[in-house]
Structure formats: structure tokens, C-alpha cells
Amino acid sequence: MQLIGPFTQILPLTGMPLKGALKDEQLQIITNGGLLVENGLIVAVGDFEQLRKEFHAADIKETEGDNVLLPGFVDCHTHICFAGSRAKDYAMRIQGKTYLEIAKAGGGIWDSVTQTRAADEETLTHLLLKRIERHLSEGVTTIEVKSGYGLSVEQELKQLRVIKAASNQTKASIVATCLAAHIVPKDFNGSQPEYLEYILNELLPVIKKEELAKRVDIFIEESAFNGDNATIYLNKAKQMGFDLTIHADQFTAGGSAVAVSAGAVSADHLEASGNNEIKLLANSNTVAVALPGASLGLGMQYAPARKLLDAGACLAIASDWNPGSAPMGDLLMQAAVISAAEKLNTAEVLAGLTHRAAKALNLTDRGMLAQGMRADVQVYPVNDYREILYQQGKLKPVIMH
Ligand code: NIG
Ligand code: FE
């Protein structure tokens, strides 16, 4: 057993409702706190001196200087298993070129598919691990990673096997998601429903058998899959035992309604959600995931995060880190930026980066510091937790050895 501390402040993020708007007064703050850990799990959180007396047999790991302890962040939406770059797309985008013009010039998702298919497993694992380690060093201890740049049975399996291999080589906790339904690949000879049937019949059973992913994602959009085809796909995937998550309402509304009626764990993007979509999400168990990194990368509006919270939704914030729309991947910076734009308070942002994001992954063992929870933590070298968002991502956590 190990007692770590003292911490100037501990924010356990406990006792907060999972849905709806929050107030900063709901943030519990323990001053001069300690964290008692055994076998990677939290035994107790409380006053450092009191814990030291009560558990005198524990090893003490004494900290120095000012420090704020909080749960590690959960990034519930990334596409960081890719090879290559789309800097060319970005340069065209900031020249004012449209999505169609960029696709015609050989850019877009298909370009990343081509570059990722060309990489062997070893190279791809190395690239993925580098991104995972960067995230970990920035306080992100749980990372969802999607496939979706393979788009054939063989290439999707390659991506998912790479995600599994990387997860065995890192301290970060990795959650894999199959996004074979990203777009219909250019080299598939058939319709949308035919491609989805092919995934259902040829790919998902192998993923189940090899335990490569427990979650399935689909991009519902005019340029990808329509709601009706997606509904059939999702219901069948659900019957096979997969959790569902949806790329919804990014450019046009519609995906979130499909997500809610299919019982998806999350609907992500939502930049184009209107009042009807907000109401639907708020009255559901589906987590609304804002992806400010995609808004920044594309120069688009943010998801209506304030309205979603006020309507009663569970709002998480994720990075969407990917080579096309969200190449930056700095989750804390992005959360700080959307908090200023959308007027999200500190409690709402921290909940959205921790236990509310864990809910989007159907995980109940993390995202708050309480007895029995995973001891996934991060420490900032400041004396006031409010510095963390105030410094807009420039303040990074310190590594605890
Ligand atoms: O979440 N919207 C669809 N998929 C990604 C973009 C992927 C890409 O452009 O490579 C997203 O933004
Ligand atoms: Fe995405």
C-alpha cells in the first residue's frame, strides 16, 4: 500500500450528477490531501496527515511544492491509428477550398486510407504508440482509438490488431472501436447497404472472435452513410453484442436521432445539432460528445455544448485527434478553448473530460477519485485548480514516478 501526498488540492470529482449543467460549487476540494493506493486501485482519498496516522504501514511517497491532483483525462474519441499526413488538405482548406475540391485533389479520408494501408503493422504500431505516449504525458490516461483507415476486412483487422498490440505496450488504458463504416471505400464494388452487409458478415465476427473491439462506430453524413442504412447496420451490430457510438450531426443534422433510437452510448460531433436534436439527446442515455479539435481544424462552429447541458444532457469533451479534421490532438487546450467560447464552467469541463467521458465508453471504474476506482491520476504544479483551464493547455501535468 502506498500513500501519496501531500497535495495542495485534490479534486476527487465525486458526488456530481452524470447529466445536466453543473456549478463550480459542486466541485469538492480537499486541501493538504493524500491518496492511498494498492494494486492500481484507490483505497482512500482524504486528509494526508489523517491517512498517515490511520495507515501507518503504508509506504509514503512524499510530494514537494504546490500540486493539484485530479483524475486522469479520458479521451473518448480519437483516430490516432494512422500513417502519413494531410498537411496538403489543411493548406488547401485555409486557402478556402471546399471539401469536394480537396477530395478531388486526392485529399480527404481516402488519402489517409491509402497512406495507412501502405504502412506495415510494425510502423503503424510505432506511430500509434508515439501518439499514445504524448497523450499520456499530457494527462490523458484512457484513450479510445478507432480503426476506419483500413476499410477492407484485412486492413481493418490490421488496424485493430495494431491497436491491441500498442495497448499491451503502454501504461495508458486503450479502448478500441471498429469504424469500418467510415465511408464506402473507393475500391469497393457495391452500394452502401452492400458494404455494410460485408462488414457485418465478414469483419465483425472476426473482431468478436479475436476480441479486438467491443464497440462499433459509423459516420452518418451525406458524404458517408445515410440514417436508414446506418440504422440497419447498428441494430445488427447491437444484436452481435457491440456497443454503439456514432459520428453524428457534423455537417448536417440527423445522426443524433439515429444514435438515440439505436441506444448508442454516445453521439459525437453535433456541430450541426439544432433544438430538436438537443432535446432528443438530453432526454436519452446517450452521451453528447463535443469535439472542439474538429471545429478548430475545420474552422467551424462548436457543438452547442452550453445548450446541451442546460437541456439536461450528459456532455463529454474529446479530441477527435485525426490526420484530417483534427490534427492537433491537445485535449486540454481544446477543452479550455470551448469552455471560453461556450461558457462551460470548470466543473462542467472537468466532468466532461473524466467521468462523463468514461460514461461514453461505458466505463464506471474511472474518472473520479474514490475508493475502488482505478488510480489513474495526474498532477499539475500549481496551488489552485483554476490555473489549469486558465493557462489554456500550456500548463502540462508533471510526471509522477
Ligand atoms: O471525426 N467525421 C469523420 N471522421 C473524422 C475525420 C477523419 C478524417 O478526415 O480523416 C472526424 O472528423
Ligand atoms: Fe471522429
Side-chain angles (χ1 to χ4, degrees), residues 137-272:
S137 76
E138 296 181 351
V140 186
T141 49
T142 297
I143 309 168
E144 186 258 15
V145 185
K146 300 176 196 298
S147 64
Y149 294 125
L151 308 191
S152 70
V153 168
E154 178 199 349
Q155 291 290 334
E156 283 290 309
L157 288 174
K158 179 181 88 179
Q159 274 204 290
L160 290 165
R161 286 179 186 135
V162 160
I163 296 167
K164 192 171 185 173
S167 78
N168 291 328
Q169 295 174 54
T170 175
K171 281 190 183 161
S173 176
I174 306 298
V175 177
T177 303
C178 174
L179 177 57
H182 204 174
I183 51 171
V184 179
K186 283 191 180 173
D187 59 354
F188 183 81
N189 197 3
S191 62
Q192 258 186 49
E194 282 166 343
Y195 178 67
L196 294 173
E197 274 300 306
Y198 158 73
I199 297 303
L200 283 164
N201 296 332
E202 315 275 333
L203 178 62
L204 297 191
V206 187
I207 293 177
K208 277 240 102 156
K209 193 162 136 239
E210 291 190 28
E211 297 182 352
L212 294 171
K214 294 187 183 133
R215 300 158 41 86
V216 159
D217 194 345
I218 184 165
F219 184 18
I220 300 180
E221 193 51 65
E222 283 168 6
S223 60
F225 294 93
N226 72 38
D228 291 342
N229 291 333
T231 301
I232 298 168
Y233 177 70
L234 291 166
N235 287 335
K236 289 189 179 165
K238 193 176 184 179
Q239 268 169 21
M240 294 174 77
F242 288 98
D243 278 347
L244 309 176
T245 173
I246 320 287
H247 276 74
D249 302 357
Q250 185 180 12
F251 303 107
T252 50
S256 56
V258 174
V260 169
S261 64
V265 287
S266 77
D268 306 27
H269 271 296
L270 312 177
E271 293 88 338

Side-chain angles (χ1 to χ4, degrees), residues 77 79 86 109 149 182 219 247 250 269 320 322-325:
H77 182 139
H79 309 245
R86 302 247 295 280
I109 293 171
Y149 294 125
H182 204 174
F219 184 18
H247 276 74
Q250 185 180 12
H269 271 296
D320 196 22
N322 74 69
S325 59

